[in-house]
Amino acid sequence: MLAAMSSTTTSTRAPDEPVSFGARYVPRAEKGRLVRGVFDSVASRYDLMNDAMSLGVHRVWKAMTIARANPQPGERLIDVAGGTGDLARLWLKTAAAASRRRGGPSATAVVCDINEAMVRAGRARGRVGLGWVTGDAERLPFPDRTADAVTIGFGIRNVTDRAAALAEMRRVLKPGGRFLCLEFSKPTTAALAAAYGLWSKAIPSIGAAVAQDRASYDYLVESIRRFPDQATFLRELETAGFARATVTNYSGGIVALHMGWRI
Ligand SMILES: C[S@@+](CC[C@H](N)C(=O)[O-])C[C@H]1O[C@@H](n2cnc3c(N)ncnc32)[C@H](O)[C@@H]1O
């Protein structure tokens, strides 16, 4: 069991190699601690800030993601970097509706997040039926081939070694299982990019007003700016071994849903 749970994707990169943390570069070994600091700081106001920053639209993006995941009775989801559990909750709700229509066992969902404060905030919302695990996307604490679906929503951009995290998420999928990654991306028209650029400039001020935390939202905006565009990230999925990888833009590319399969 332990052997099956050990990561096959240990990074060989030097711990002092510079990696981006928002607008600055920090030693690779430092980034995880800094990202944890960001989410420690915002955890208690995270859900409120999501609504404020996206004007509630994050709920629609998440609903569309789970509609694409198409949960079936008895299936198991691992929601990586799952935060307070929005995607996992929607998975259970959608699968329960399918079970009521057609019968079959209940689906299950486990939220895995590196940050205990985010997990605590999710548990405090009383989201029944979800499993909660503290763990790093780069070293998932799950055996090989045990999930029917893996989701990661607005999490991949925070991970230090994306290739390691993608390999881990593929490792825990059963053959035939699907991977869905919802993330901020690049607007597809110049007009939308300009409007979105202006809105992004306002986000740190909203963070200061709502969460009393400008610095964390400065990081958020910069991490979005540095994340690769749709086509580049699609190639990363293919390199990680996901089959039939596709990308779907939502809200004109402000976010994108990348999907791939383990075959
Ligand atoms: C922007 S939040 C997204 C939360 C949730 N998925 C949602 O869509 O609302 C990003 C989450 O990624 C988590 N995270 C960052 N780096 C991580 C890592 N290496 N492994 C697992 N979780 C990580 C953070 O703790 C945080 O909860």
Side-chain angles (χ1 to χ4, degrees), residues 32 35-36 39-40 42 46-47 50 58 62 79-87 112-116 118-119 135-140 151-161 165 182-184 219-220:
V35 170
R36 262 201 302 281
F39 288 101
D40 275 341
V42 302
Y46 176 77
D47 292 317
N50 263 357
H58 75 102
K62 288 170 180 169
D79 183 24
V80 177
T84 54
D86 283 357
L87 287 172
C112 175
D113 197 283
I114 203 166
N115 192 295
E116 280 174 27
M118 289 294 284
V119 168
D136 188 342
E138 294 176 37
R139 286 174 293 278
L140 287 174
T151 50
I152 180 165
F154 306 110
I156 193 75
R157 132 185 76 81
N158 298 295
V159 163
T160 305
D161 187 340
L182 181 67
E183 189 51 271
F184 290 104
Y219 160 76
L220 174 91

